[in-house]
Amino acid sequence: MVGFKATDVPPTATVKFLGAGTAACIADLITFPLDTAKVRLQIQGESQGPVRTTAGAQCRGVLGTILTMVRTEGPRSLYNGLVAGLQRQMSFASVRIGLYDSVKQFYTKGSEHASIGSRLLAGSTTGALAVAVAQPTDVVKIRFQAQARAGGGQRYQSTIDAYKTIAREEGFGGLWKGTSPNVARNAIVNCAELVTYDLIKDALLTANLMTGSCPPFSAWVPGTW
């Protein structure tokens, strides 16, 4: 682009969208066992219905839950629902984070100075929209994390089978169970995270404590100064 150096060209909405989803997927790959342990601890004590806990074993704490799952169900059980989890992150984080700047510009009508109200609106909008888009993947992910591998009797055999089974047995509405509280929660979380980050970044830039972009790589390489 004329008038811009390569490092000065702002990323497009598509780049932000894909970048946010990809980063979230990488984070999910690393932290998924912790998320699975959280779900197992939350449903512990549920002995009725289609959800079976960790082979009837009582888990204590995050580490105890992870060790119990590895011992009774195998290491792969820590990644039950990973495919749905990655689908969720690619759709959820892409909208929640990747579209924040674009929605903020929409509310400010292209103005460079966004008010706190515009930022809050943008944060709550993308947070709520992300849940509306990604809720089916969240439902399937949690169902997979909740079911135990040990002893057979798994309700869902694959991610696609889970979507089909839930839609067939519970209706399409079953894929969006829990949407209302999730929308409210993520609208608030998104405002707290992104708007706070946005305001702190603007304050740092205004105080000249940091720049809006990193200097070219050559500036850090000895012999190129």
Side-chain angles (χ1 to χ4, degrees):
M1 294 178 63
V2 178
F4 285 94
K5 294 184 293 185
T7 54
D8 294 331
V9 178
T12 64
T14 302
V15 171
K16 293 178 181 179
F17 186 87
L18 295 176
T22 302
C25 285
I26 294 173
D28 210 34
L29 282 170
I30 299 171
T31 62
F32 203 81
L34 295 175
D35 190 38
T36 301
K38 179 207 71 173
V39 171
R40 289 296 181 91
L41 285 169
Q42 287 176 323
I43 66 169
Q44 188 165 260
E46 292 289 332
S47 58
Q48 304 296 325
V51 175
R52 301 175 59 252
T53 56
T54 310
Q58 190 75 6
C59 303
R60 294 181 179 276
V62 176
L63 182 59
T65 301
I66 291 175
L67 292 176
T68 299
M69 290 180 64
V70 171
R71 185 177 68 253
T72 61
E73 305 173 46
R76 291 182 60 187
S77 65
L78 297 174
Y79 287 90
N80 277 351
L82 177 62
V83 173
L86 295 178
Q87 291 172 347
R88 175 184 180 273
Q89 291 298 347
M90 185 53 74
S91 55
F92 179 75
S94 295
V95 174
R96 183 176 78 90
I97 301 173
L99 295 184
Y100 171 75
D101 284 335
S102 298
V103 174
K104 183 176 68 174
Q105 290 175 3
F106 171 78
Y107 282 128
T108 58
K109 304 185 186 302
S111 173
E112 294 183 1
H113 302 286
S115 65
I116 294 180
S118 297
R119 298 173 203 251
L120 290 173
L121 276 173
S124 59
T125 299
T126 56
L129 182 60
V131 170
V133 171
Q135 186 67 13
T137 62
D138 197 28
V139 171
V140 170
K141 177 186 77 76
I142 292 174
R143 295 283 183 95
F144 262 107
Q145 290 174 314
Q147 71 176 4
R149 283 181 178 272
Q154 291 186 17
R155 184 181 182 189
Y156 310 114
Q157 303 304 317
S158 68
T159 304
I160 297 299
D161 177 61
Y163 286 117
K164 290 180 178 179
T165 301
I166 294 172
R168 182 176 62 251
E169 297 181 358
E170 305 173 39
F172 282 103
L175 293 169
W176 272 271
K177 283 184 176 179
T179 298
S180 296
N182 215 9
V183 164
R185 174 185 177 273
N186 280 285
I188 296 171
V189 168
N190 214 38
C191 285
E193 289 181 353
L194 296 187
V195 176
T196 300
Y197 163 81
D198 217 6
L199 292 172
I200 292 175
K201 179 182 176 182
D202 280 356
L204 292 173
L205 291 173
T206 301
N208 293 319
L209 296 176
M210 62 179 289
T211 59
S213 60
C214 294
F217 178 71
S218 59
W220 301 95
V221 180
T224 62
W225 301 336

